[in-house]
Amino acid sequence: MTARTRPFTAEDHRARMDRAARTAADAGLAGLLVAPGPDMVWLTGYTPPADTERLTMLVLAPGREPVLVVPTLEAPDAEHAVGASALTFRRWTDGTDPYAVTAKLLDHAGRFGISDNAWAMHLLGLQRTLPGTSYASLTDALPMLRAVKDTAEVELLAAAGAAADAAFEEIRAVRFAGRRETEISRDLADLLRGFGHEQVDFTIVASGPNGANPHHEAGDRVVGDGDMVVLDFGGLKDGYGSDTSRTVHVGEPTEEERTVHDLVRAAQEAGVRAVRPGAACQDVDRAARAVIDAAGYGEFFIHRTGHGIGVTTHEPPYMIEGEEQPLVPGMCFSVEPGVYLPGRFGVRIEDIVTVTPDGGRRLNDTTREMVIVE
Ligand code: ZN
Ligand code: ZN
Ligand code: ZN
């Protein structure tokens, strides 16, 4: 699946590459080695036709021209996607050693950040060719590289969120009772695609006791009257992510189901209200968790409160105890507390929120009241 960052120009990408190289230098790195994947898409707009054993690698170093090492047979596609003005293309042809080509670009030695998803064979090839270099995980070294979105990125995330909202407005009208989770999950995926997603990453439908397992995706269980159903769905629209959760109920809920739903809703609201520039990521987690703790359900909220989103649906920053990273305008992340009662039911409510100078702005915003479905 090809992620697109269509609205961005070669100049935009060059600015990102230059900033990444400077950030790497500030972190004490000699440069960055970027493999095909989300970092490469964000930095260059390029996704190779297939991530194969043939080496494609972006080499960034402060004060140097960015270079894309690329197989000769893929070079025309790469030049078309990236734009010839954004960087230098260094082709290598089958039968030659791509690591020797790359090593010439790393003659300044030192420690390099390398993409988490780079193939081990490529890293081993570089280590063999340049025993003097050492390597660090790019995400560990520069966790906030893609975290602060510019205005165009925020609006792409808002458009993805609006598409997810539209999908929810339609799925709440379909029949749930008597159908398998997998069927409703397929409906949800079709709706996301219908509303413009080119990639669906997950459409969780977790009914009744399955809702108490946050990792449940969708199975053969037939949804019945009286079930709580956790819906958690998202993917990429125009290269940027959506990720929304709503919990619906088939028919009239019990008083306890309503109480737990309202509790999670209040926790989610508290988490969103804690979003403001300068607050720490962990403050968002604490604000949501405090509401659930105070009601005596703390032991049933068994995951972090949120994660960043951008050209992927899960990335830094993480809203988790111990994360002291301050919030900065332009950061975008989920706020998604939940309560999971083993063997019974679960509730999760999730919105994507962006940090503005005045606080948090939700990028998806369908009703958070408990929706009754048939
Ligand atoms: Zn029920
Ligand atoms: Zn989600
Ligand atoms: Zn999420």
Side-chain angles (χ1 to χ4, degrees), residues 139-196:
T139 304
D140 282 351
L142 306 179
M144 297 302 144
L145 179 63
R146 293 188 270 113
V148 179
K149 274 68 183 178
D150 65 26
T151 309
E153 292 185 287
V154 173
E155 292 317 311
L156 284 164
L157 287 163
D165 280 349
F168 178 72
E169 286 303 324
E170 300 230 344
I171 201 72
R172 61 182 281 187
V174 310
R175 180 149 193 93
F176 278 63
R179 298 176 70 218
R180 291 184 196 283
E181 292 174 346
T182 46
E183 296 173 61
I184 300 164
S185 174
R186 216 172 301 126
D187 287 350
L188 205 37
D190 289 345
L191 285 167
L192 286 173
R193 287 194 196 90
F195 286 110

Side-chain angles (χ1 to χ4, degrees), residues 242-304:
S242 68
D243 184 3
T244 303
S245 302
R246 292 292 185 263
T247 303
V248 301
H249 191 271
V250 186
E252 249 340 277
T254 64
E255 202 178 308
E256 186 195 20
E257 286 170 333
R258 210 170 258 295
T259 302
V260 173
H261 188 278
D262 289 350
L263 174 63
V264 173
R265 187 180 163 200
Q268 206 266 353
E269 187 66 42
V272 174
R273 272 202 312 267
V275 175
R276 61 175 190 283
C281 289
Q282 67 180 1
D283 295 339
V284 178
D285 183 79
R286 287 176 179 177
R289 203 167 296 279
V291 173
I292 291 172
D293 282 345
Y297 283 88
E299 66 180 295
F300 303 113
F301 177 15
I302 51 178
H303 55 71
R304 67 191 174 210

Side-chain angles (χ1 to χ4, degrees), residues 311-334:
V311 296
T312 71
T313 46
H314 283 91
E315 61 187 43
Y318 295 102
M319 305 301 118
I320 189 171
E321 181 63 35
E323 180 52 84
E324 295 176 354
Q325 168 68 41
L327 299 180
V328 175
M331 282 182 175
C332 299
F333 48 82
S334 69

Side-chain angles (χ1 to χ4, degrees), residues 72-88:
T72 297
L73 77 169
E74 292 170 13
D77 280 350
E79 289 178 20
H80 178 74
V82 180
S85 62
L87 48 67
T88 296

Side-chain angles (χ1 to χ4, degrees), residues 16-17 30 51 199 354:
R16 289 178 184 174
M17 286 187 267
D51 184 13
Q199 179 177 321
T354 186

